[in-house]
Structure formats: C-alpha cells, structure tokens
Amino acid sequence: KAGVTQTPRYLIKTRGQQVTLSCSPISGHRSVSWYQQTPGQGLQFLFEYFSETQRNKGNFPGRFSGRQFSNSRSEMNVSTLELGDSALYLCASSWGSDRSYEQYFGPGTRLTVT
Amino acid sequence: GNSVTQMEGPVTLSEEAFLTINCTYTATGYPSLFWYVQYPGEGLQLLLKATKADDKGSNKGFEATYRKETTSFHLEKGSVQVSDSAVYFCALSDPYNQGGKLIFGQGTELSVKP
C-alpha cells in the first residue's frame, strides 16, 4: 500500500508571497493532519481535516489555511509568507475514527522563505 | 492543557548499550501514547504505541509501557545499533476530545557509536 505523499518536497519562496502544499493520504484514510517542524518550536499541530471538514485547529494565525477534497487529498496554504514560516511541513493521515487514530507521516515539504 | 516532556539530548551511546529515553505526560481524559522516530531528511515513522494504561508497545526491539500512575511512557531498548541513530519523539493524542491532534515532546537525538 502506498504511503503518504507530499508535493513538492522543496520550495523556496520570497517574503510576502503565498504557497500551496499538497498531501495525498494512504488509500482509505479520511483524516489528514498538518504539522510544522522547526528547530526552535519543535513539532506543532496546524489543523486536521476529516471528510472535507476542519475538525481541529492549532494556534496559528489565519494566514495558514487548508482544505480537503472528496478523495481525502489535502492542501495547505500559507499567505503573506514571513521569514519565520521557514520550516518542514509534515502531513499525516489516519482512519480518523474508532477504527484507528494512528497517524502515518509523509516525508514533508521543506519551505524556505527568503 | 495536554503536554509531553522528554529528556533532553543528545544521547550518545556505544553499540550494544542499553537505551532509555524518558517521557512523561500531562493529560485530561484518556490519551493514547506513541513513539515516533525521525531519520535525517525524512518524515516521522511510527515506532510503537499504547492506547490504555499498562499496555506495552513494542517494535524492532524497542519497548514502552503506558504507566498511568507515574504518567510516563519511557522508551527502552536492550542493545542499540548504529542504525538506531535518529531523533525520537514521544507523543500523545486524545482522540475522543481532540480528534487527530498529536502533541509532541521536544525530541531526543540519539547517536550510537560503533
């Protein structure tokens, strides 16, 4: 079974621009969660989508948004990029129900903001 | 709120040494506990899990027991190998209250020397 895939793997953007990251979950999984990983703050939860609805949200500004499509694929958008948004962005998928809440992670997208 | 605290690294061991990485948590409700491992340049891999008190998770020679009385989930391995060198993250989820949100500890870097 194919794992979680994320595209692109690497991105370089300029401050003020916007960026869209994509995540394809494991087949059958309905939940996709997004995390930001930085050396200073560690791993922080951004938000979770389940069946096209945002089910949970972390403490990030409104510049960070996401959505999920009917095939469970998810996108994350960051508008008006700041230097501090440079990070590894990880997505994880799970069944998201009583069947299992185990999360499986993709390889991440490394975003560099200059 | 819920939180996870791990022992600080880096931890440096010789091959075949015994490994313990301490993890304690604070949570309301009935969390599930996880250990994830991250190799350089990669995403997180689920190493083991425990979903209720006194459960023992195990995988690839690693073990951890969910201790509710001490709110701990320490990771152990009897004989480490060079290939175990990575960053290890302890995490908790409270799926019935917080859906797919994982809360991570700060990570512990392990370096195993031949």
Side-chain angles (χ1 to χ4, degrees):
Chain A
K1 186 184 266 192
V4 178
T5 59
Q6 292 186 245
T7 57
R9 291 293 310 277
Y10 302 91
L11 266 179
I12 300 176
K13 290 287 187 178
T14 302
R15 194 170 45 184
Q17 289 185 316
Q18 76 164 14
V19 67
T20 299
L21 313 181
S22 181
C23 173
S24 293
I26 291 171
S27 177
H29 285 187
R30 296 168 64 190
S31 168
V32 174
S33 297
W34 289 88
Y35 297 85
Q36 182 195 64
Q37 185 177 24
T38 60
Q41 299 298 316
L43 280 154
Q44 293 186 288
F45 173 78
L46 281 153
F47 31 64
E48 179 203 9
Y49 285 85
F50 180 79
S51 293
E52 301 180 64
T53 301
Q54 188 179 87
R55 183 161 72 172
N56 216 334
K57 190 177 187 304
N59 297 321
F60 279 80
R63 300 185 297 107
F64 292 81
S65 63
R67 59 178 177 168
Q68 187 179 35
F69 301 95
S70 58
N71 61 358
S72 293
R73 189 177 69 86
S74 178
E75 288 182 346
M76 190 191 96
N77 184 275
V78 188
S79 62
T80 320
L81 284 166
E82 300 177 359
L83 296 179
D85 296 333
S86 294
L88 180 67
Y89 289 89
L90 294 162
C91 83
S93 76
S94 77
W95 293 103
S97 66
D98 287 347
R99 182 169 179 174
S100 174
Y101 286 93
E102 290 177 23
Q103 294 191 25
Y104 295 88
F105 283 79
T109 294
R110 172 75 63 184
L111 172 63
T112 302
V113 182
T114 63
Chain B
N2 296 346
S3 66
V4 175
T5 302
Q6 285 179 240
M7 64 184 283
E8 290 191 18
V11 173
T12 302
L13 295 173
S14 297
E15 205 165 22
E16 299 184 1
F18 185 86
L19 168 71
T20 299
I21 300 178
N22 290 337
C23 171
T24 57
Y25 68 91
T26 301
T28 56
Y30 303 92
S32 295
L33 300 173
F34 306 87
W35 278 99
Y36 282 87
V37 58
Q38 187 175 36
Y39 297 99
E42 299 184 10
L44 277 67
Q45 296 179 24
L46 177 62
L47 183 58
L48 52 83
K49 68 170 183 177
T51 57
K52 61 183 186 298
D54 299 324
D55 268 2
K56 177 186 280 189
S58 61
N59 186 26
K60 299 180 181 179
F62 291 90
E63 293 183 340
T65 302
Y66 187 161
R67 302 283 189 201
K68 193 169 174 64
E69 63 276 13
T70 54
T71 62
S72 66
F73 192 56
H74 305 322
L75 182 68
E76 297 182 335
K77 186 176 186 184
S79 176
V80 293
Q81 306 300 312
V82 172
S83 58
D84 293 327
S85 297
V87 181
Y88 292 81
F89 292 92
C90 184
L92 74 78
S93 72
D94 183 7
Y96 295 102
N97 293 309
Q98 296 187 314
K101 177 179 180 179
L102 276 172
I103 296 172
F104 287 90
Q106 63 268 46
T108 301
E109 183 179 359
L110 170 66
S111 177
V112 180
K113 305 298 185 187

